[in-house]
Amino acid sequence: MACVRCGGTVAPDGYCWDCGQAQPLHRARLETSLDGAAAVTDRGLRRGVNADAMALTTAGPWTVGVVTDGISMTPRPERAAQVAAECGAERLAARLTAGALPEEALEDAAVRAGAAVAALDGPGCTYVAGIAGPAGIWATGVGDSRAYWLPSTGPGMALTDDDTGTLDTISAWLGAGAPPPRPQVHSHRPHVPGTLLLCTDGLWRYLPSADDLRVRLRGPTPLDDARTLVGHALAAGGRDNVTALVIAVVPGGEALVRL
């Protein structure tokens, strides 16, 4: 890929090695899926660079997802988001495979992701991670990226609390001078099938309530649901990067593929 400004070589983080120009189409839209789960991230209609990131993996019976949102006021926020998503998901999978409790794994992974972003010396991001397994679902967040439980029937609910202060300013984040994160883990044991959703504010600012989100999950697959949610944000204005990661869950079972 050649730089849009000087024709030079583009680095893996989407910036030109020669002139430093951000490449507008780098990571403009990405999709990923595995059995019973999927994620979509899109640059949106107003941003030159997609500073959201996502990671999706499995660890035995567990399905693991992480979604991050680079803080635009910091340098190269997309780098912070990518590092946090990859580090968090890798650590979660490793700890769960080693037999750690979901709560322990989520707390440890958030701290490890925070340390990895801090080592970049400059950028910052928000962070949300979720786990779905035979015994239920767990989620934790730092900043204002969110996790929701969206049941097939009945009211949904948020599984994370925003870390925000006055005027909706973010009061906790990873990297960029932030103290070590103190993530709060929330869990839920579903009684009906449903979806664990992780998303950035590029989605929930258009669909802030769990029920607004739930009624748009019509399948037939998790990837269709992720595309539908991101598509709604784009149709509503797409003012920010937008990411939706969905994990289909069945009570007492693993991630469920809806065919």
Side-chain angles (χ1 to χ4, degrees), residues 115-159:
V117 176
L120 299 175
D121 192 23
C125 67
T126 65
Y127 175 96
V128 63
I131 299 171
I137 57 176
W138 290 259
T140 191
V142 180
D144 63 355
S145 291
R146 294 181 178 179
Y148 292 89
W149 166 241
L150 308 174
S152 58
T153 59
M157 63 180 178
L159 295 173

Side-chain angles (χ1 to χ4, degrees), residues 81-208:
Q82 283 186 280
V83 167
E86 293 169 3
C87 178
E90 180 179 349
R91 185 66 172 177
L92 270 173
R95 290 300 309 277
L96 290 170
T97 300
L101 295 174
E103 294 88 348
E104 296 172 344
L106 282 165
E107 292 176 6
D108 179 63
V111 172
R112 180 65 65 94
V117 176
L120 299 175
D121 192 23
C125 67
T126 65
Y127 175 96
V128 63
I131 299 171
I137 57 176
W138 290 259
T140 191
V142 180
D144 63 355
S145 291
R146 294 181 178 179
Y148 292 89
W149 166 241
L150 308 174
S152 58
T153 59
M157 63 180 178
L159 295 173
T160 53
D161 300 314
D162 292 347
D163 293 309
T164 54
T166 58
L167 302 177
D168 285 335
T169 56
I170 297 173
S171 59
W173 62 93
L174 302 185
R182 296 181 178 179
Q184 299 295 314
V185 178
H186 300 269
S187 63
H188 181 63
R189 186 181 294 272
H191 298 291
V192 297
T195 296
L196 172 61
L197 168 68
L198 310 180
C199 65
T200 59
D201 63 343
L203 175 63
W204 67 253
R205 290 191 187 279
Y206 292 111
L207 297 168

